[in-house]
């Protein structure tokens, strides 16, 4: 099956996943892989300000990995996942969105610096 996009998990995501029970981690990773081939807002949904969320509900816990799109490469669309958290309320906390936006800004700044160096 064709993937809609590639996924880059940043270090903060690996740290979050490493602290979880193995079955919970596997369910989250399964849902992420599934979202690559299936346009399902229950798995991957836009929030606001170009921030998206990978969604997993497992054993009563709502896991969220926030992300953004990097469409600079016309051949490979990339979704960059910034960090993860367990959601306790119906709304994504504003501070989590701020963290994701800051990481997105830093990501594109670093990417721009690397392009300058490569030229």
């Amino acid at each position: 099956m064709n993937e809609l996009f590639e996924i880059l998990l940043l270090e903060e995501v690996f740290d979050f996943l490493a602290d979880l029970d193995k079955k919970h981690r596997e369910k989250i990773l399964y849902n992420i892989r599934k979202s690559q081939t299936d346009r399902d807002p229950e798995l991957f949904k836009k929030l606001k300000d170009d921030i998206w969320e990978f969604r997993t509900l497992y054993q009563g816990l709502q896991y969220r990995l926030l992300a953004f799109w990097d469409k600079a490469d016309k051949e490979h669309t990339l979704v960059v996942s910034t960090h993860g958290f367990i959601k306790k309320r119906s709304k994504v906390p504003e501070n989590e969105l701020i963290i994701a936006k800051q990481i997105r800004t830093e990501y594109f700044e670093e990417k721009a610096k690397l392009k300058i160096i490569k030229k």
Side-chain angles (χ1 to χ4, degrees), residues 88-110:
K88 295 179 171 54
R89 289 180 233 108
S90 61
K91 201 172 176 188
V92 172
E94 190 63 32
N95 68 314
E96 300 294 348
L97 292 169
I98 290 168
I99 291 168
K101 288 184 229 177
Q102 180 62 38
I103 292 171
R104 180 184 66 203
T105 299
E106 292 168 4
Y107 170 87
F108 284 115
E109 286 173 354
E110 283 298 313

Side-chain angles (χ1 to χ4, degrees), residues 57-104:
L57 176 61
Y58 187 67
Q59 293 186 346
L61 295 172
Q62 295 184 57
Y63 294 101
R64 298 296 187 261
L65 300 179
L66 298 189
F68 60 88
W69 293 83
D70 179 351
K71 298 181 180 180
D73 183 344
K74 301 298 180 201
E75 293 180 26
H76 297 86
T77 301
L78 182 64
V79 171
V80 181
S81 183
T82 61
H83 69 292
F85 61 96
I86 298 172
K87 192 167 105 169
K88 295 179 171 54
R89 289 180 233 108
S90 61
K91 201 172 176 188
V92 172
E94 190 63 32
N95 68 314
E96 300 294 348
L97 292 169
I98 290 168
I99 291 168
K101 288 184 229 177
Q102 180 62 38
I103 292 171
R104 180 184 66 203

Side-chain angles (χ1 to χ4, degrees), residues 5-60:
F5 49 83
E6 292 181 32
I7 298 173
L8 171 63
L9 303 177
L10 297 182
E11 184 176 346
E12 292 88 342
V13 175
F14 287 108
D15 293 343
F16 172 73
L17 294 173
D19 289 339
L20 300 178
D21 178 77
K22 182 181 180 204
K23 289 188 182 227
H24 293 244
R25 180 174 48 250
E26 287 173 351
K27 178 65 174 180
I28 292 167
L29 293 172
Y30 170 81
N31 281 351
I32 289 172
R33 284 189 296 273
K34 188 174 177 185
S35 72
Q36 288 180 283
T37 58
D38 185 14
R39 294 178 197 263
D40 183 351
E42 291 299 315
L43 298 175
F44 188 57
K45 177 182 173 185
K46 184 173 184 180
L47 296 174
K48 67 179 188 176
D49 298 328
D50 294 326
I51 301 297
W52 291 64
E53 67 177 348
F54 289 105
R55 305 160 50 106
T56 298
L57 176 61
Y58 187 67
Q59 293 186 346

